Amino acid sequence: PAASKTIAVNGRDISIPTGLFINGEFVEALGHGQFSVEDPSTGKQILSISEGQPEDVDVAVKAARKALKDAAWASSDPTYRSKLLNKLADLLEENIEDIVHLECADTGKTYRQCRNSDLPDTVETLRYYAGWTDKVLGQTNFTIPETFAYTRREPIGVCGQIIPWNYPLLMFVWKIAPALATGNTVVIKSAETTPLSALKVCEYIAQAGFPPGTVNLVSGFGKTVGSAIAHHMDIDKLAFTGSTATGRFILKASALSNLKKVTLELGGKGPNIIFPDADLDEAVEWSAWGINMNFGQTCHAGTRIYIHEEIYDRFLEKFTERMRKVNVGHPFDQSTDQGPVNSKMQYNKILGYIESGKAEGAELHLGGEAIDKSGGYYILPTIFTNVSPNMKIVREEIFGPVVVISRFSTESEVIALANDTNYGLAAGVHTKDYERAVRVTGALQAGTTWVNMYSFVHWRVPFGGYKESGIGRELGDAALESYTNAKAVYFNM
Ligand code: NAD
């Protein structure tokens, strides 16, 4: 068995298992490698943990396969699976402070966001899928002469799951909850910059009493562990959340291996449209939330704001004032609205985009620079105006606190501008004219659209992308479909 370590986070001692979680216990990686996890608010190492490799993925897949069959997880009583998922939710609630502390130290998220939003959403997502276990039913069909047919929904089998660093815990649960509810087993890889909360949750998975092998966590890097999961010949389904570039790689890996079923939740470049009849103060508040939530490190962030020319100056002034008030500070400070971005790589990438915006002739209206706070990766909220549709800052996902603002005059013009992107994850419309709201949301090519709000995602409603933002849907009942195969049974009557 692998070691655990106790670390101090903001004055709180927390023990954290440092091994891989395979077959119900924490084990050392076969190669005994370790990698370092750092705190983005200081750039300093928090601790080092076991680094998985492809051979560890093999062991994890064997355990997951065994749990499916020998431990009869796939055919287990749905009530049993429901109880376990609810038990896990209870354990997360009981230990909420430890998990929130780990998540903040690992990601740079604010304590407030994590405690009031990420963690409650995580717990509710578990409970929601706990409620579904006995409701995933097939259909009967008597419409075919001399034939009776029915369908049953069967678990797909061993699911590989790969998650990003922006919502480590929430993504972990978005992935495992519907998979387990429907009787699948899981081999999951956390992101290399944010592996801690998943390790801690695996401790609770063991405590809750999930049979060994139902959930296996192999921490490590994309090119090794991620790629091994994507290419594995004995993984039946792969659910991936991350960048569009890696999503292409995943799809190709499936094609080159065993054609495992693939769902992809990828990047975005969300348009957020403000019509002249919108409630300006409300629209400002939601637009600020659209970019401030998780400091722009959100796939559905509202990063392109389109303002009608009649209200352009007024909106911009109010919005700028609002963004000026964003308090950039330490994640554990209660008055902080925005912490450091997640990693040095991300920090450099965002600053690179800010430079490119300036070089391409956009006007830097607010922010645009890093601030120095004890070595952490802090970047000021940034607004660019005078942008044109072909600039990199308008086309590419920056994944940081940077928003670009454009002016429009007609509805058809703004629909064309909003849809002028390879992405299609989310979009917002602000107007009091409900006919317009229905018309424009209908015309926007995005998997999620909001009217008079932005960046609101609920576990009961399907979430996913149009175009290059993904394939398939997570959350709601849609996720249950993506974790089951429909089997048709015909009777000759
Ligand atoms: P990323 O694609 O670099 O990494 C995501 C995960 O994939 C990580 O665990 C990483 O280790 C792994 N990975 C990297 N290369 C791999 C490879 N060759 N094979 C297998 N796995 C590999 O993305 P990121 O920078 O960590 O995350 C940010 C991206 O995630 C953004 O584009 C964001 O929009 C997207 N995202 C999308 C959603 C959504 O639901 N649509 C949610 C959150 C984040």
Short mmCIF file of all heavy atoms in Angstrom, two decimals, residues 201-250:
data_model
loop_
_atom_site.label_atom_id
_atom_site.label_comp_id
_atom_site.label_asym_id
_atom_site.label_seq_id
_atom_site.Cartn_x
_atom_site.Cartn_y
_atom_site.Cartn_z
N VAL A 201 -11.15 12.06 -2.57
CA VAL A 201 -12.48 11.48 -2.78
C VAL A 201 -12.38 9.95 -2.90
O VAL A 201 -13.28 9.23 -2.45
CB VAL A 201 -13.19 12.10 -4.00
CG1 VAL A 201 -14.50 11.40 -4.30
CG2 VAL A 201 -13.46 13.58 -3.73
N CYS A 202 -11.29 9.46 -3.46
CA CYS A 202 -11.13 7.99 -3.55
C CYS A 202 -11.06 7.37 -2.14
O CYS A 202 -11.51 6.24 -1.94
CB CYS A 202 -9.91 7.62 -4.37
SG CYS A 202 -10.23 7.82 -6.12
N GLU A 203 -10.49 8.11 -1.21
CA GLU A 203 -10.50 7.64 0.18
C GLU A 203 -11.95 7.43 0.64
O GLU A 203 -12.29 6.43 1.27
CB GLU A 203 -9.81 8.70 1.03
CG GLU A 203 -9.32 8.26 2.37
CD GLU A 203 -8.55 9.41 3.05
OE1 GLU A 203 -7.33 9.56 2.78
OE2 GLU A 203 -9.17 10.17 3.82
N TYR A 204 -12.82 8.37 0.29
CA TYR A 204 -14.23 8.27 0.70
C TYR A 204 -14.97 7.20 -0.12
O TYR A 204 -15.92 6.60 0.38
CB TYR A 204 -14.94 9.63 0.58
CG TYR A 204 -14.25 10.72 1.37
CD1 TYR A 204 -13.96 11.95 0.80
CD2 TYR A 204 -13.86 10.49 2.69
CE1 TYR A 204 -13.32 12.94 1.53
CE2 TYR A 204 -13.20 11.47 3.42
CZ TYR A 204 -12.93 12.69 2.84
OH TYR A 204 -12.29 13.65 3.55
N ILE A 205 -14.52 6.99 -1.34
CA ILE A 205 -15.14 5.92 -2.16
C ILE A 205 -14.90 4.57 -1.47
O ILE A 205 -15.79 3.73 -1.37
CB ILE A 205 -14.57 5.96 -3.60
CG1 ILE A 205 -15.18 7.15 -4.35
CG2 ILE A 205 -14.81 4.65 -4.35
CD1 ILE A 205 -14.61 7.41 -5.73
N ALA A 206 -13.66 4.39 -0.98
CA ALA A 206 -13.35 3.15 -0.25
C ALA A 206 -14.19 3.08 1.02
O ALA A 206 -14.81 2.04 1.32
CB ALA A 206 -11.86 3.10 0.06
N GLN A 207 -14.24 4.19 1.75
CA GLN A 207 -15.02 4.22 3.02
C GLN A 207 -16.50 3.97 2.79
O GLN A 207 -17.17 3.33 3.60
CB GLN A 207 -14.90 5.60 3.66
CG GLN A 207 -13.87 5.71 4.74
CD GLN A 207 -13.91 7.12 5.35
OE1 GLN A 207 -14.96 7.68 5.66
NE2 GLN A 207 -12.73 7.71 5.46
N ALA A 208 -17.02 4.48 1.69
CA ALA A 208 -18.46 4.31 1.41
C ALA A 208 -18.80 2.85 1.16
O ALA A 208 -19.94 2.44 1.32
CB ALA A 208 -18.85 5.16 0.20
N GLY A 209 -17.80 2.06 0.75
CA GLY A 209 -18.03 0.63 0.55
C GLY A 209 -18.25 0.22 -0.89
O GLY A 209 -18.76 -0.88 -1.16
N PHE A 210 -17.86 1.05 -1.84
CA PHE A 210 -17.92 0.62 -3.25
C PHE A 210 -17.04 -0.60 -3.42
O PHE A 210 -15.93 -0.64 -2.88
CB PHE A 210 -17.41 1.74 -4.18
CG PHE A 210 -18.41 2.83 -4.43
CD1 PHE A 210 -18.51 3.91 -3.56
CD2 PHE A 210 -19.26 2.76 -5.53
CE1 PHE A 210 -19.44 4.92 -3.78
CE2 PHE A 210 -20.19 3.77 -5.76
CZ PHE A 210 -20.28 4.85 -4.89
N PRO A 211 -17.49 -1.62 -4.15
CA PRO A 211 -16.66 -2.81 -4.32
C PRO A 211 -15.31 -2.45 -4.96
O PRO A 211 -15.26 -1.55 -5.81
CB PRO A 211 -17.47 -3.68 -5.28
CG PRO A 211 -18.86 -3.18 -5.21
CD PRO A 211 -18.78 -1.73 -4.84
N PRO A 212 -14.23 -3.12 -4.56
CA PRO A 212 -12.91 -2.84 -5.15
C PRO A 212 -12.98 -2.91 -6.68
O PRO A 212 -13.62 -3.80 -7.23
CB PRO A 212 -12.03 -3.98 -4.61
CG PRO A 212 -12.71 -4.42 -3.36
CD PRO A 212 -14.18 -4.18 -3.56
N GLY A 213 -12.34 -1.93 -7.31
CA GLY A 213 -12.28 -1.95 -8.78
C GLY A 213 -13.39 -1.19 -9.47
O GLY A 213 -13.33 -0.99 -10.68
N THR A 214 -14.43 -0.77 -8.74
CA THR A 214 -15.49 -0.01 -9.43
C THR A 214 -14.98 1.36 -9.88
O THR A 214 -15.30 1.82 -10.96
CB THR A 214 -16.74 0.19 -8.53
OG1 THR A 214 -16.32 0.50 -7.21
CG2 THR A 214 -17.60 -1.05 -8.48
N VAL A 215 -14.16 2.00 -9.02
CA VAL A 215 -13.52 3.25 -9.43
C VAL A 215 -12.02 3.08 -9.24
O VAL A 215 -11.56 2.67 -8.17
CB VAL A 215 -13.97 4.46 -8.57
CG1 VAL A 215 -13.22 5.71 -8.97
CG2 VAL A 215 -15.47 4.67 -8.70
N ASN A 216 -11.25 3.38 -10.28
CA ASN A 216 -9.79 3.31 -10.20
C ASN A 216 -9.25 4.64 -10.69
O ASN A 216 -9.66 5.12 -11.76
CB ASN A 216 -9.26 2.19 -11.10
CG ASN A 216 -9.91 0.86 -10.75
OD1 ASN A 216 -9.45 0.17 -9.85
ND2 ASN A 216 -10.99 0.50 -11.44
N LEU A 217 -8.36 5.23 -9.90
CA LEU A 217 -7.79 6.53 -10.26
C LEU A 217 -6.30 6.38 -10.54
O LEU A 217 -5.55 5.93 -9.67
CB LEU A 217 -8.00 7.52 -9.10
CG LEU A 217 -7.27 8.86 -9.20
CD1 LEU A 217 -7.84 9.74 -10.31
CD2 LEU A 217 -7.34 9.62 -7.86
N VAL A 218 -5.90 6.74 -11.76
CA VAL A 218 -4.48 6.70 -12.10
C VAL A 218 -4.03 8.13 -12.37
O VAL A 218 -4.30 8.70 -13.43
CB VAL A 218 -4.22 5.81 -13.34
CG1 VAL A 218 -2.73 5.70 -13.62
CG2 VAL A 218 -4.84 4.42 -13.15
N SER A 219 -3.36 8.73 -11.38
CA SER A 219 -2.87 10.11 -11.56
C SER A 219 -1.69 10.07 -12.52
O SER A 219 -0.92 9.11 -12.52
CB SER A 219 -2.39 10.69 -10.22
OG SER A 219 -3.28 10.41 -9.17
N GLY A 220 -1.53 11.14 -13.28
CA GLY A 220 -0.37 11.18 -14.18
C GLY A 220 -0.62 12.12 -15.34
O GLY A 220 -1.53 12.95 -15.30
N PHE A 221 0.19 11.97 -16.37
CA PHE A 221 0.21 12.93 -17.48
C PHE A 221 -0.58 12.42 -18.69
O PHE A 221 -0.83 11.22 -18.84
CB PHE A 221 1.66 13.23 -17.87
CG PHE A 221 2.37 14.03 -16.81
CD1 PHE A 221 2.90 13.41 -15.68
CD2 PHE A 221 2.45 15.41 -16.92
CE1 PHE A 221 3.51 14.15 -14.68
CE2 PHE A 221 3.06 16.16 -15.92
CZ PHE A 221 3.60 15.54 -14.81
N GLY A 222 -0.95 13.37 -19.53
CA GLY A 222 -1.76 13.04 -20.70
C GLY A 222 -1.05 12.12 -21.68
O GLY A 222 -1.63 11.14 -22.18
N LYS A 223 0.21 12.43 -21.95
CA LYS A 223 0.93 11.68 -22.99
C LYS A 223 1.19 10.23 -22.57
O LYS A 223 1.43 9.36 -23.41
CB LYS A 223 2.27 12.36 -23.29
CG LYS A 223 2.08 13.66 -24.03
CD LYS A 223 3.26 14.00 -24.92
CE LYS A 223 2.87 15.00 -26.00
NZ LYS A 223 2.31 16.24 -25.50
N THR A 224 1.19 9.96 -21.27
CA THR A 224 1.42 8.60 -20.80
C THR A 224 0.10 7.94 -20.39
O THR A 224 -0.45 7.13 -21.12
CB THR A 224 2.42 8.61 -19.62
OG1 THR A 224 1.99 9.60 -18.67
CG2 THR A 224 3.82 8.92 -20.10
N VAL A 225 -0.44 8.34 -19.23
CA VAL A 225 -1.66 7.71 -18.71
C VAL A 225 -2.85 8.00 -19.62
O VAL A 225 -3.62 7.08 -19.98
CB VAL A 225 -1.95 8.21 -17.28
CG1 VAL A 225 -3.26 7.65 -16.76
CG2 VAL A 225 -0.81 7.86 -16.35
N GLY A 226 -3.02 9.27 -20.01
CA GLY A 226 -4.18 9.65 -20.84
C GLY A 226 -4.17 8.89 -22.16
O GLY A 226 -5.17 8.31 -22.58
N SER A 227 -3.02 8.87 -22.79
CA SER A 227 -2.90 8.20 -24.07
C SER A 227 -3.14 6.69 -23.92
O SER A 227 -3.79 6.06 -24.77
CB SER A 227 -1.51 8.49 -24.65
OG SER A 227 -1.33 7.78 -25.83
N ALA A 228 -2.63 6.10 -22.83
CA ALA A 228 -2.84 4.66 -22.61
C ALA A 228 -4.33 4.35 -22.44
O ALA A 228 -4.83 3.34 -22.95
CB ALA A 228 -2.05 4.21 -21.38
N ILE A 229 -5.04 5.23 -21.74
CA ILE A 229 -6.49 5.03 -21.58
C ILE A 229 -7.18 5.15 -22.94
O ILE A 229 -8.01 4.31 -23.31
CB ILE A 229 -7.08 6.06 -20.57
CG1 ILE A 229 -6.57 5.75 -19.15
CG2 ILE A 229 -8.61 6.07 -20.61
CD1 ILE A 229 -6.99 6.77 -18.09
N ALA A 230 -6.79 6.17 -23.70
CA ALA A 230 -7.45 6.40 -24.99
C ALA A 230 -7.23 5.25 -25.97
O ALA A 230 -8.10 4.93 -26.77
CB ALA A 230 -6.96 7.72 -25.59
N HIS A 231 -6.06 4.64 -25.92
CA HIS A 231 -5.74 3.55 -26.86
C HIS A 231 -6.08 2.16 -26.33
O HIS A 231 -5.92 1.17 -27.05
CB HIS A 231 -4.23 3.57 -27.19
CG HIS A 231 -3.84 4.68 -28.12
ND1 HIS A 231 -3.30 5.86 -27.67
CD2 HIS A 231 -3.92 4.80 -29.46
CE1 HIS A 231 -3.07 6.66 -28.70
NE2 HIS A 231 -3.43 6.03 -29.79
N HIS A 232 -6.51 2.06 -25.08
CA HIS A 232 -6.61 0.73 -24.47
C HIS A 232 -7.62 -0.15 -25.18
O HIS A 232 -8.74 0.27 -25.50
CB HIS A 232 -6.99 0.87 -22.99
CG HIS A 232 -6.50 -0.27 -22.18
ND1 HIS A 232 -7.09 -1.51 -22.22
CD2 HIS A 232 -5.45 -0.39 -21.34
CE1 HIS A 232 -6.42 -2.34 -21.42
NE2 HIS A 232 -5.41 -1.66 -20.88
N MET A 233 -7.25 -1.40 -25.40
CA MET A 233 -8.13 -2.32 -26.14
C MET A 233 -9.23 -2.90 -25.26
O MET A 233 -10.17 -3.52 -25.76
CB MET A 233 -7.31 -3.47 -26.75
CG MET A 233 -6.35 -3.05 -27.83
SD MET A 233 -7.19 -2.29 -29.26
CE MET A 233 -7.96 -3.75 -29.99
N ASP A 234 -9.13 -2.74 -23.95
CA ASP A 234 -10.17 -3.32 -23.08
C ASP A 234 -10.97 -2.25 -22.33
O ASP A 234 -11.57 -2.52 -21.30
CB ASP A 234 -9.53 -4.33 -22.11
CG ASP A 234 -10.58 -5.30 -21.56
OD1 ASP A 234 -11.56 -5.59 -22.29
OD2 ASP A 234 -10.44 -5.73 -20.40
N ILE A 235 -10.94 -1.04 -22.85
CA ILE A 235 -11.83 0.02 -22.33
C ILE A 235 -12.94 0.21 -23.36
O ILE A 235 -12.69 0.31 -24.55
CB ILE A 235 -11.05 1.33 -22.09
CG1 ILE A 235 -10.13 1.15 -20.86
CG2 ILE A 235 -11.98 2.51 -21.90
CD1 ILE A 235 -9.32 2.37 -20.48
N ASP A 236 -14.19 0.20 -22.89
CA ASP A 236 -15.33 0.17 -23.81
C ASP A 236 -15.85 1.55 -24.17
O ASP A 236 -16.52 1.73 -25.18
CB ASP A 236 -16.48 -0.62 -23.16
CG ASP A 236 -16.02 -2.00 -22.74
OD1 ASP A 236 -15.65 -2.78 -23.62
OD2 ASP A 236 -15.99 -2.29 -21.51
N LYS A 237 -15.61 2.51 -23.29
CA LYS A 237 -16.12 3.86 -23.54
C LYS A 237 -15.13 4.87 -22.99
O LYS A 237 -14.49 4.59 -21.97
CB LYS A 237 -17.47 4.06 -22.85
CG LYS A 237 -18.09 5.42 -23.15
CD LYS A 237 -18.83 6.02 -22.00
CE LYS A 237 -18.87 7.52 -22.16
NZ LYS A 237 -19.98 8.03 -22.95
N LEU A 238 -15.03 6.00 -23.66
CA LEU A 238 -14.14 7.02 -23.15
C LEU A 238 -14.89 8.35 -23.05
O LEU A 238 -15.51 8.79 -24.02
CB LEU A 238 -12.93 7.19 -24.05
CG LEU A 238 -11.80 7.88 -23.30
CD1 LEU A 238 -10.49 7.22 -23.58
CD2 LEU A 238 -11.74 9.34 -23.62
N ALA A 239 -14.87 8.94 -21.87
CA ALA A 239 -15.47 10.26 -21.69
C ALA A 239 -14.35 11.23 -21.38
O ALA A 239 -13.58 11.03 -20.44
CB ALA A 239 -16.47 10.23 -20.53
N PHE A 240 -14.25 12.26 -22.20
CA PHE A 240 -13.13 13.19 -22.07
C PHE A 240 -13.64 14.62 -21.91
O PHE A 240 -14.55 15.04 -22.62
CB PHE A 240 -12.26 13.11 -23.33
CG PHE A 240 -11.21 14.18 -23.40
CD1 PHE A 240 -10.05 14.09 -22.65
CD2 PHE A 240 -11.39 15.30 -24.21
CE1 PHE A 240 -9.09 15.09 -22.69
CE2 PHE A 240 -10.43 16.31 -24.26
CZ PHE A 240 -9.28 16.21 -23.50
N THR A 241 -13.05 15.37 -21.01
CA THR A 241 -13.26 16.81 -20.95
C THR A 241 -11.90 17.49 -21.00
O THR A 241 -11.01 17.15 -20.22
CB THR A 241 -13.99 17.23 -19.66
OG1 THR A 241 -15.28 16.61 -19.65
CG2 THR A 241 -14.20 18.73 -19.61
N GLY A 242 -11.75 18.40 -21.93
CA GLY A 242 -10.48 19.11 -22.06
C GLY A 242 -10.48 19.92 -23.34
O GLY A 242 -11.55 20.30 -23.83
N SER A 243 -9.31 20.16 -23.87
CA SER A 243 -9.21 21.05 -25.03
C SER A 243 -9.63 20.33 -26.31
O SER A 243 -9.59 19.10 -26.40
CB SER A 243 -7.77 21.53 -25.17
OG SER A 243 -6.94 20.42 -25.40
N THR A 244 -10.00 21.12 -27.30
CA THR A 244 -10.40 20.55 -28.58
C THR A 244 -9.23 19.82 -29.23
O THR A 244 -9.41 18.75 -29.83
CB THR A 244 -10.96 21.67 -29.49
OG1 THR A 244 -12.16 22.15 -28.87
CG2 THR A 244 -11.29 21.17 -30.88
N ALA A 245 -8.01 20.33 -29.06
CA ALA A 245 -6.85 19.67 -29.66
C ALA A 245 -6.70 18.25 -29.10
O ALA A 245 -6.51 17.28 -29.85
CB ALA A 245 -5.59 20.48 -29.37
N THR A 246 -6.81 18.10 -27.78
CA THR A 246 -6.68 16.76 -27.19
C THR A 246 -7.89 15.90 -27.57
O THR A 246 -7.76 14.70 -27.78
CB THR A 246 -6.52 16.85 -25.65
OG1 THR A 246 -5.51 17.80 -25.36
CG2 THR A 246 -6.15 15.52 -25.06
N GLY A 247 -9.06 16.53 -27.69
CA GLY A 247 -10.26 15.79 -28.10
C GLY A 247 -10.08 15.10 -29.45
O GLY A 247 -10.50 13.96 -29.65
N ARG A 248 -9.41 15.80 -30.38
CA ARG A 248 -9.15 15.18 -31.69
C ARG A 248 -8.27 13.94 -31.51
O ARG A 248 -8.46 12.92 -32.16
CB ARG A 248 -8.39 16.16 -32.60
CG ARG A 248 -9.20 17.30 -33.08
CD ARG A 248 -8.34 18.17 -34.02
NE ARG A 248 -8.87 19.50 -34.07
CZ ARG A 248 -9.94 19.84 -34.79
NH1 ARG A 248 -10.55 18.96 -35.53
NH2 ARG A 248 -10.39 21.08 -34.77
N PHE A 249 -7.28 14.09 -30.64
CA PHE A 249 -6.36 12.97 -30.39
C PHE A 249 -7.11 11.77 -29.82
O PHE A 249 -6.89 10.62 -30.22
CB PHE A 249 -5.26 13.46 -29.42
CG PHE A 249 -4.31 12.39 -29.03
CD1 PHE A 249 -3.18 12.12 -29.79
CD2 PHE A 249 -4.53 11.63 -27.89
CE1 PHE A 249 -2.31 11.12 -29.41
CE2 PHE A 249 -3.67 10.63 -27.51
CZ PHE A 249 -2.55 10.36 -28.28
N ILE A 250 -8.04 12.04 -28.92
CA ILE A 250 -8.82 10.98 -28.26
C ILE A 250 -9.66 10.22 -29.30
O ILE A 250 -9.72 8.99 -29.30
CB ILE A 250 -9.75 11.59 -27.18
CG1 ILE A 250 -8.97 12.32 -26.11
CG2 ILE A 250 -10.72 10.56 -26.62
CD1 ILE A 250 -8.30 11.49 -25.09
#
